[in-house]
Amino acid sequence: MILASLLNSYPRIGDRPAEQVLRRAIQRADRGEVPASGVSAAEEEMIGLAIAEQAAADMDLLTDGQIRWHDPVSHVARGLAGFRLEGLLRYFDTNTYYRQPAATGPIGRERPLLIDAYRLAAVAAAPRPVKAIITGPLTIARLSRDARRRGLRDLTLQISCALNREILDLEAAGAALIQIDEPALARFPGDADMLRQALRRMVSGSTSSRILLATSFGDPTPLLPALAGMPAALFGIDVTAALGREDADAAGFGSRLVDSFAADAGFALGVVDGRNTRLENADEIYERRVRPILSVLRPPAGGPGREVHLVTNHGLEFLPRDTARAKLAILAALRDRARREFL
Amino acid sequence: MSDASSAGTRPSQERLLPADLRLPLSTIGSFPKPDRLKQARAGFARGVLDAEELRRIEREETAACLRLQESLGLDLLVDGEMYRGDMTAYFAENIEGFRISGLVRSYGNRYYRKPIVSGPVRWPRPVTVDWFRFALEHTHLPVKAILTGPYTMMDWSFDEHYGSREALAMALAEVIHQEAAALVEAGARYVQIDEPAVSVRPDEIDLAIRAMGTVTAGLGARTITHICYGDFPAIYPRLLDLPVDQFTLELSNSDLGLLELFKTSPFTKELGAGVLDVHSHKVEPVELVRERIAAALAVVPASRLFVNPDCGLKTRTPEEAEAKLKSMIQATREVRRSL
């Protein structure tokens, strides 16, 4: 199975007036001209637009674009007991910010965080499937301030226990694929053992859904053996970062994937750059990145094929909307060529 | 020593802060745009207002901003950046080699048009010098010139041309040096080169230092850099090797956490202490600001301490900005009396 999908986020604004309803609604709410429900309605409108654009680009698996998320850290932490939100910090090496949570007490889930948003997106996207997305415990712990001073490990494990209920609720809401985003892992590869333990707690009791563990913000190559031991069915790999600008030895990287992971492991391969406006030539990318890797991942004759998602290596909210749409078109073209050759 | 009160009668080249002034009061650069200016900019973008009319309104609001700063009691003024949009997009619009993208999000409901480097970057002409001269003509006080630094311009642009962060940063450093030199030629004695991106990639601090060295080389002015909202522990004290005289830093957003960091290794340069949280609607009480200044004085002596908000004030309403500044100025005056 070869699918095309964006990794997680999608622009929540564009240059056309219809793409600016959310910004205007928030501005009006700030001025007290509309109630908070007006913002919520605008968010739903932009989620609908994000889903419609993904469908129009023929993505196989959609996301809600994370339109409601102010940032990947505080959006989850604000729903957890034991956290207080503090000042702004830059989010990795981007020119975007996140509001830093401070862990001040025992961590627990106060209420469902993402369930309503998942249901809304699933209805809007039907019949196309939607993947649920949640930020992982290591990233939240690493990007938080531990005011309790009980250590990173304790915080990470407490977050994972709190998020376990969210995973089970997402599953009950019908999420067949749940993506756990762990961008911090590439920055802190020494945390891999701790993350494995945390993820086991986080997905404990899950039966019907599959987990996609997504990395980003760094070359995943040194992480491959550790990733292979994580409790996930699919692994998000930033191929663009792994191969570098010269697309060095894509076939060799494919072999490393085969050597590192179980035979039934699936991959979300980040083959299109979600952080640069430069539009890749689909034919060139296919020849230099996609074909060499898929040739190695190709199943033996008669065997079941691995599940491969061709994705952007980052969410697309870092790009202008017109460029984001163009990147989706590139993904669709890559997927179509890959299907013709490998299915 | 220059007497600020009579500076307007002197050649602009000599406009300096009084040497015996303690805790000079300044700001980071941007002030809130009044509604009429926002409407004018929107009208210009829609094509219903011509450039000359927009420029007239920008001039009026810049003059008003300078009057406000004087009346409040700030010592080192800025032009308020009424004519700038985003800190990177403004320069990208005026430097060869860039084009401007569609909107991308910065945080919450704030968006900007991120520049795209599509060719070799070149300095075509002075970009901010006319505005700097305009500011000098509208105040008797010294004015700080504000530029965006090469590392930040590089990091906050899409690079479709160079393919090398180092090559782009160093090319931009040459461009920004030319602009800084033109400002000094026009009389700037305080030049701030904003580098908020420096704290984001600790592994590139050496590149940021080299790029800043190119910008400030041979400038006959006090040099300042502004950095905010980043991973300071990862780059301190190496940060102090940035070749500038002063750092204006956000202390309030981090609840004075930076001052704790500075206790681990002496802060050897001038510090512009951020004592107002520009991302909060709440106006800080005078007492709170006084405490923040006192905390800064425990780390940096009064002879090397300036007082300013955490960051640019454009995130606030005009009313919030003015109220916050009043609190900052009152608190500073009280602390001065106790020195």
Side-chain angles (χ1 to χ4, degrees):
Chain A
M1 182 161 43
I2 300 174
L3 309 178
S5 170
L6 75 95
L7 185 67
N8 43 43
S9 61
Y10 196 71
R12 37 190 262 162
I13 198 169
D15 289 332
R16 299 168 192 155
E19 296 160 351
Q20 303 196 349
V21 291
L22 179 54
R23 177 162 75 165
R24 288 199 301 272
I26 295 173
Q27 286 170 339
R28 284 198 296 268
D30 281 349
R31 292 195 295 264
E33 295 169 6
V34 297
S37 60
V39 173
S40 188
E43 285 175 338
E44 288 185 19
E45 193 174 335
M46 290 307 292
I47 290 169
L49 193 56
I51 285 172
E53 290 185 13
Q54 292 172 72
D58 199 19
M59 295 295 100
D60 303 294
L61 182 60
L62 312 191
T63 81
D64 71 356
Q66 298 183 307
I67 302 297
R68 292 186 197 274
W69 296 43
H70 271 211
D71 62 70
V73 186
S74 69
H75 186 77
V76 177
R78 76 175 65 240
L80 298 178
F83 276 118
R84 179 182 70 218
L85 297 183
E86 296 188 332
L88 294 174
L89 284 179
R90 288 192 201 288
Y91 183 64
F92 293 104
D93 59 345
T94 69
N95 184 22
T96 61
Y97 303 93
Y98 74 97
R99 198 162 279 286
Q100 186 179 40
T104 56
I107 308 298
R109 192 185 70 156
E110 288 190 323
R111 59 182 183 276
L113 307 171
L114 308 164
I115 312 304
D116 288 347
Y118 171 75
R119 287 200 178 105
L120 177 82
V123 169
R128 294 176 195 260
V130 168
K131 65 177 172 182
I133 299 168
I134 186 167
T135 309
L138 176 67
T139 296
I140 296 173
R142 270 289 183 186
L143 299 188
S144 296
R145 186 174 71 82
D146 184 9
R148 312 161 319 148
R149 300 187 186 281
R150 294 181 59 180
L152 178 68
R153 180 184 191 80
D154 179 81
L155 181 57
T156 305
L157 294 178
Q158 281 211 24
I159 296 168
S160 66
C161 290
L163 295 183
N164 174 246
R165 292 180 60 194
E166 191 69 14
I167 294 286
L168 298 181
D169 283 350
L170 281 169
E171 187 175 276
L177 181 64
I178 302 172
Q179 177 172 304
I180 301 174
D181 284 341
E182 279 292 8
L185 184 60
R187 289 292 171 95
F188 304 101
D191 294 345
D193 283 347
M194 184 171 63
L195 176 61
R196 185 175 62 248
Q197 201 177 343
L199 290 179
R200 283 183 180 148
R201 293 188 186 196
M202 186 170 166
V203 305
S204 172
S206 152
T207 53
S208 60
S209 59
R210 297 184 308 145
I211 299 296
L212 193 172
L213 175 61
T215 63
S216 53
F217 289 102
D219 179 1
T221 309
L223 298 168
L224 297 181
L227 275 177
M230 303 281 181
L234 297 104
F235 299 88
I237 304 289
D238 184 346
V239 172
T240 306
L243 300 185
R245 200 174 171 87
E246 302 304 318
D247 283 334
D249 195 15
F253 184 71
S255 296
R256 296 186 71 153
L257 292 178
V258 169
D259 294 343
S260 300
F261 289 86
D264 61 348
F267 298 104
L269 300 175
V271 292
V272 170
D273 191 347
R275 289 188 60 189
N276 196 310
T277 47
R278 193 166 54 88
L279 294 179
E280 293 90 344
N281 178 305
D283 289 337
E284 190 179 310
I285 292 299
Y286 185 78
E287 296 296 339
R288 293 171 61 175
R289 295 180 193 166
V290 179
R291 174 185 272 156
I293 294 175
L294 291 187
S295 295
V296 181
L297 294 180
R298 193 175 191 170
R306 287 180 192 265
E307 183 170 332
V308 172
H309 303 185
L310 298 177
V311 299
T312 51
N313 66 340
H314 287 275
L316 291 182
E317 83 157 328
F318 301 113
L319 295 179
R321 197 177 195 94
D322 57 347
T323 311
R325 279 191 287 258
K327 295 278 183 176
L328 294 183
I330 294 168
L331 283 176
L334 293 172
R335 183 264 328 269
D336 292 345
R337 278 199 65 177
R339 281 182 177 165
R340 283 199 296 274
E341 184 168 358
F342 293 100
L343 292 185
Chain B
M1 184 181 76
S2 170
D3 179 356
S5 64
S6 61
T9 62
R10 296 170 176 226
S12 60
Q13 284 79 355
E14 295 181 13
R15 212 176 294 183
L16 298 166
L17 288 166
D20 59 353
L21 177 66
R22 286 291 173 263
L23 311 183
L25 285 153
S26 191
T27 60
I28 300 304
S30 70
F31 271 67
K33 290 183 176 59
D35 284 343
R36 73 182 284 247
L37 178 55
K38 287 182 190 169
Q39 287 159 9
R41 288 171 65 87
F44 177 71
R46 289 197 308 274
V48 298
L49 190 81
D50 64 31
E52 192 175 334
E53 180 62 7
L54 174 61
R55 194 67 71 225
R56 184 184 67 77
I57 294 171
E58 288 171 344
R59 284 197 199 97
E60 287 178 4
E61 293 303 335
T62 300
C65 183
L66 289 158
R67 283 196 301 275
L68 172 69
Q69 294 173 73
E70 279 189 347
S71 67
L72 289 174
L74 291 162
D75 303 305
L76 179 57
L77 309 196
V78 295
D79 68 19
E81 303 179 11
M82 295 294 147
Y83 54 94
R84 302 186 195 183
D86 172 73
M87 64 183 287
T88 48
Y90 171 73
F91 287 99
E93 287 163 356
N94 288 284
I95 293 173
E96 283 181 15
F98 283 94
R99 69 176 200 274
I100 303 300
S101 81
L103 292 164
V104 295
R105 184 154 74 133
S106 172
Y107 177 76
N109 205 36
R110 307 196 73 83
Y111 301 86
Y112 70 113
R113 293 186 182 277
K114 188 167 176 174
I116 299 171
V117 179
S118 53
V121 295
R122 290 196 191 91
W123 186 68
R125 70 192 80 81
V127 176
T128 59
V129 171
D130 284 349
W131 281 110
F132 180 78
R133 288 200 177 104
F134 180 88
L136 284 185
E137 289 163 6
H138 285 77
T139 179
H140 293 276
L141 296 174
V143 177
K144 177 166 66 168
I146 313 286
L147 299 172
T148 303
Y151 185 85
T152 298
M153 287 292 296
M154 175 275 291
D155 197 53
W156 292 0
S157 300
F158 297 116
D159 175 20
E160 295 188 4
H161 177 75
Y162 283 85
S164 155
R165 294 170 61 82
E166 179 180 5
L168 175 54
M170 295 311 294
L172 283 163
E174 296 286 351
V175 168
I176 295 159
H177 172 77
Q178 288 173 285
E179 178 69 13
L183 283 163
V184 172
E185 177 68 25
R189 292 296 172 262
Y190 304 88
V191 179
Q192 178 174 296
I193 303 111
D194 293 339
E195 282 288 24
V198 158
S199 58
V200 173
R201 291 197 189 209
D203 54 316
E204 290 188 336
I205 186 71
D206 290 346
L207 171 59
I209 289 168
R210 269 196 296 135
M212 184 64 86
T214 296
V215 175
T216 58
L219 281 188
R222 300 292 292 172
T223 52
I224 302 157
T225 191
H226 170 65
I227 303 173
C228 56
Y229 306 117
D231 186 7
F232 285 94
I235 54 171
Y236 190 78
R238 179 73 170 129
L239 174 72
L240 296 170
D241 291 335
L242 275 164
V244 292
D245 301 307
Q246 182 184 135
F247 290 76
T248 57
L249 302 174
E250 43 98 2
L251 303 185
S252 305
N253 171 68
S254 65
D255 199 19
L256 305 183
L258 279 183
L259 293 176
E260 292 303 311
L261 179 65
F262 300 157
K263 290 174 185 171
T264 64
S265 181
F267 193 92
T268 54
K269 297 203 168 167
E270 291 176 354
L271 173 65
V275 297
L276 300 175
D277 184 353
V278 302
H279 286 286
S280 166
H281 293 292
K282 195 174 167 188
V283 175
E284 288 86 346
V286 171
E287 185 180 351
L288 175 62
V289 180
R290 216 171 44 220
E291 288 169 6
R292 289 174 176 169
I293 297 170
L297 279 168
V299 176
V300 175
S303 59
R304 285 195 278 118
L305 190 66
F306 283 57
V307 178
N308 43 255
D310 269 4
C311 194
L313 287 163
K314 71 176 180 181
T315 54
R316 302 275 53 90
T317 66
E319 294 76 20
E320 288 169 349
E322 185 171 337
K324 279 172 174 272
L325 288 174
K326 281 180 176 169
S327 190
M328 178 179 93
I329 292 163
Q330 177 63 28
T332 303
R333 286 174 174 161
E334 290 177 15
V335 176
R336 279 175 182 163
R337 284 197 289 272
S338 68
L339 292 175

